Every structure is written in C-alpha cells, then in structure tokens.
Amino acid sequence: MRTWRVGTFSMGVSLVALGLFLGISQFKGWEALQPFLLWWPFILIVLGAEVLVYLFVSKQEHPRIKYDVLSIFFVGVLGTVGIALTVLVSTGVLQEVRTVVSATEKSFALPEVSENLASEIERVVVETGNQYVQVETTTGEQLHIFGAYRTTIEAGKVPPIVKKEDYVVKNVVGDTMYIQFKVPEQKTGPFSIHTVMTPTIAIPDSVTLEVRGRHNLVKLNVQTLKNNWTVKGAEYVELYVNEKNDLELITHSHYEQDSAYFEWEKVSNENDDAFKGVYKLCEGTYQLSILESSFVALNIGEG
C-alpha cells in the first residue's frame, strides 16, 4: 500500500497558492504584506483538510497517519508568522512601525493670525500652555500670531496644523481678548511623534497684557511699552528691553537671580520663600511684572 505522508501535499499546495497570490498582487497593486495576510490562513485549511481526507478515504480499521515532519514544520512556521503579523496589523503596531520607518522630520509655517483690536479691547490674556512662546511689542493696532512648527510626518500625509484653528483659540469677553494656544498633536509610546511649535505673538504696546505660562520658556522683546504687562507661571523668562523704555521691572522668583540689574530681597509667604527684584528704567511709568518664575534673564540694549 502506498504511504500517504501528511504535510507534503499541504506544503506543495501552499507554495502554489502563495505564488498565485503574489502574481495577483502585481496586477492589483497590493502592498507587499497584503497577499501574505490573505494567504497564510489557507495553509492551515489545506493541512487540516489533508488529515480529514486521509481519514475518510482510508479503508483500514485503525488507520495510521504518517507525517512529513519537515513539511509540517515549514507550514507551522509560516502559520505562526502569519498569526503574529495579523496580531500586529489588528493592533496597529505594524502601521506605527511603517509610519516611523517612512516618516521624515519637517518644518512648516504656522498659519498667520491677524486681528484688529477694536477700541473696546483694553486687555489681552495669552494662555501659552507648556510650550515656548515669543512676545513682541508693536506700535500699531493689530495683533499678529505667526511662527513655525516641526513634526515627524509620513510621506503623503496632511500636516497636523493647516489652519489657524488647529493651534490657537480666540475669544472676546467684554473688554478682554483671550488667546489660548492648543497642545499640538502628540503620539506617545515606543513610536512617539511630537509636534513642537515656536509661535510669535506681536501685540500693540498700548494694551494691557497678561501672559499665563505653564513651566515653559517665554521670551519678551519690549521695544516700547505704554501699558502694564504681566508674565505669570513661566519657568524661564528671557527679557529684552532698551535703556529708553519708561518702565519698572518687578520680578517675583522662586530663586535669587544672578543679575547685576536687580536688587533682590527675600520675601516669605505661606508656602515657601520667594525673591523679589526691582529695576527701574527712566521714570518707571509702566510696570512689567514677572511672577512665579524660576529664572529671569534681563538684557538691556541701547535705545
């Protein structure tokens, strides 16, 4: 009686089927992984069917099945790989790997925001979140927001910020305009992708400004000032002024600063000790207050 070795037929049919799937993929334009994901369940079906057919056609009372160990091992390895790839695809891990491999880091311009500050707007509040923000003074009546952002993006994908509503929110309540920067799109985990913005906001020097930071870096470039400004909650503040500014600088810091300009004094409160520094330019008509910061760097240029 001719011996039927279970596994040989399955391996042969599986290889033929794989060739057919790969050939079809060339005409259909499938991705390289797609034909394999369609093919691997077929080899398990063929192997199981081979065992059942052998049992059915066998005329022996107690049939004995002989297995082609090498063929079954080959089929088992392919099946295991197929199951693993299916799990990776269904959980999105494979797509994440594909994104990281094909992605590149690029810089894009932030969509510009321009707003005419109506006469009834006397105060502007800027919520920076935890990202770097640069603030500039202007002598006009328009508020401008511009800058750039850097992100990792897959080829052919739409950038995460394409319109101004994607990164900034503006609301007007009474005589106050509130501007809030949104947190850019982030992906966490082993294949994390971060979007870093570097926005600049140019504000008329005649309005009252309050910048609310969140342990971030805020850079102030004050050419002229005709009202009171406040920066609160930023971890690090870089301040650039010129010697002709008519303002008084008041800083409340968690640490005593190493600065030749400020005269520091220790101020105790209920929670911890703080340090206050004061520096006056010209008559000190307007106040620029920096509150609840850890580090303040003052730079004074010639007017």
Side-chain angles (χ1 to χ4, degrees):
M1 178 181 295
R2 185 169 60 90
T3 302
W4 186 351
R5 300 179 64 85
V6 175
T8 305
F9 177 77
S10 299
M11 185 177 68
V13 173
S14 299
L15 292 176
V16 172
L18 178 59
L20 291 174
F21 274 112
L22 292 176
I24 294 173
S25 69
Q26 300 300 313
F27 295 98
K28 294 290 186 179
W30 292 346
E31 296 182 0
L33 185 60
Q34 191 170 359
F36 188 78
L37 291 176
L38 294 173
W39 164 77
W40 78 263
F42 177 76
I43 65 177
L44 301 181
I45 296 174
V46 172
L47 180 61
E50 184 178 1
V51 175
L52 294 176
V53 169
Y54 175 78
L55 292 175
F56 180 76
V57 301
S58 177
K59 301 300 184 180
Q60 301 179 22
E61 185 178 353
H62 300 289
R64 295 178 60 189
I65 302 176
K66 294 184 179 181
Y67 295 96
D68 187 339
V69 178
L70 182 61
S71 297
I72 293 178
F73 175 77
F74 175 75
V75 172
V77 169
L78 292 179
T80 302
V81 173
I83 293 173
L85 288 176
T86 301
V87 171
L88 293 176
V89 170
S90 62
T91 57
V93 173
L94 196 61
Q95 180 59 36
E96 293 293 331
V97 174
R98 183 182 301 169
T99 299
V100 171
V101 171
S102 63
T104 56
E105 190 171 344
K106 294 183 179 180
S107 295
F108 301 90
L110 288 170
E112 185 175 354
V113 178
S114 296
E115 292 288 341
N116 285 316
L117 296 184
S119 57
E120 61 269 17
I121 300 297
E122 299 180 357
R123 177 169 171 259
V124 175
V125 176
V126 178
E127 300 272 0
T128 66
N130 58 1
Q131 60 199 7
Y132 166 85
V133 173
Q134 179 170 307
V135 181
E136 303 268 352
T137 58
T138 65
T139 57
E141 297 181 353
Q142 279 193 327
L143 180 148
H144 298 276
I145 303 175
F146 53 93
Y149 69 98
R150 192 165 184 84
T151 187
T152 303
I153 187 170
E154 189 178 358
K157 295 294 185 179
V158 178
I161 301 176
V162 295
K163 55 185 184 297
K164 58 186 180 181
E165 290 81 9
D166 292 336
Y167 77 99
V168 69
V169 177
K170 178 184 69 69
N171 290 290
V172 176
V173 180
D175 63 351
T176 303
M177 175 180 289
Y178 293 89
I179 297 173
Q180 181 179 13
F181 288 100
K182 295 181 178 179
V183 177
E185 180 181 349
Q186 312 288 346
K187 285 186 178 181
T188 58
F191 307 105
S192 59
I193 294 178
H194 298 281
T195 300
V196 180
M197 297 194 307
T198 54
T200 296
I201 178 168
I203 299 180
D205 57 7
S206 58
V207 301
T208 301
L209 174 67
E210 180 179 348
V211 179
R212 299 174 182 173
R214 192 181 299 169
H215 307 292
N216 59 324
L217 168 62
V218 174
K219 181 179 179 181
L220 294 176
N221 190 356
V222 180
Q223 296 299 319
T224 59
L225 195 61
K226 300 177 182 178
N227 216 315
N228 298 326
W229 281 22
T230 301
V231 178
K232 183 177 181 181
E235 181 72 14
Y236 191 98
V237 178
E238 287 186 13
L239 178 58
Y240 295 84
V241 298
N242 64 69
E243 58 185 10
K244 293 185 178 180
N245 287 144
D246 185 13
L247 57 85
E248 182 181 34
L249 303 174
I250 301 175
T251 64
H252 285 261
S253 174
H254 300 300
Y255 306 98
E256 185 174 5
Q257 306 297 300
D258 184 16
S259 173
Y261 300 108
F262 294 104
E263 295 181 2
W264 293 96
E265 62 175 319
K266 191 172 183 180
V267 180
S268 298
N269 54 38
E270 296 179 356
N271 298 322
D272 53 12
D273 293 331
F275 296 88
K276 178 182 178 180
V278 179
Y279 187 79
K280 185 180 292 187
L281 291 168
C282 296
E283 299 297 323
T285 304
Y286 305 105
Q287 286 188 349
L288 199 164
S289 302
I290 301 173
L291 310 176
E292 300 180 9
S293 295
S294 296
F295 303 97
V296 180
L298 173 61
N299 302 275
I300 301 178
E302 297 181 358

